[in-house]
Amino acid sequence: MVRQEIETKLRAAFKPSHLEVIDESYRHNVPAGSESHFKVIVVSNEFVEQRMLSRHRSVYSILVKELEEGVHALALHTYTEKEWAELGDTVLVSPACRGGSTTTSSF
């Protein structure tokens, strides 16, 4: 459900030629069924002449509600159509989870 909402909002905002929203929550220490960690690949000419930081800010501004309501992490891959073609339609693999816990530590 969260994945679909993210996809719908990004399609409307960026009119991408390629979009993937991949739920990677299962790779993290979260309860089963969580939708909290996503890899997002957006290929859109809306990103032409924008630096990566600006592209990411644009995506975050569209997904404010999702980030406030439980999405913990977004691995963003934002490309123009030219950049995507130069990459050969490939994206880096997300890194392994580096921690986080569903339990609370006491100090």
Side-chain angles (χ1 to χ4, degrees):
M1 185 166 169
V2 174
R3 185 195 62 75
Q4 294 157 330
E5 187 65 25
I6 291 171
E7 189 172 309
T8 298
K9 286 183 173 185
L10 295 178
R11 280 193 193 285
F14 299 106
K15 298 165 189 55
S17 59
H18 180 86
L19 176 65
E20 291 181 56
V21 180
I22 303 161
D23 185 350
E24 295 186 327
S25 302
Y26 70 93
R27 299 180 68 213
H28 300 272
N29 188 15
V30 297
S34 293
E35 289 184 287
S36 58
H37 295 70
F38 293 90
K39 177 191 289 188
V40 176
I41 304 161
V42 184
V43 179
S44 172
N45 280 335
E46 299 286 324
F47 297 134
V48 171
E49 309 242 348
Q50 288 186 18
R51 293 179 180 254
M52 187 183 312
L53 183 58
S54 179
R55 296 173 187 189
H56 289 196
R57 285 179 176 157
S58 296
V59 171
Y60 291 137
S61 73
I62 301 300
L63 302 177
V64 169
K65 178 181 176 242
E66 289 72 19
L67 291 164
E68 289 175 349
E69 295 181 358
V71 171
H72 174 71
L74 290 173
L76 296 178
H77 303 272
T78 54
Y79 306 103
T80 64
E81 290 179 17
K82 181 181 179 205
E83 292 166 340
W84 183 242
E86 290 170 355
L87 285 172
D89 299 347
T90 60
V91 175
L92 298 172
V93 174
S94 294
C97 181
R98 297 186 68 186
S101 175
T102 57
T103 62
T104 306
S105 299
S106 58
F107 293 89

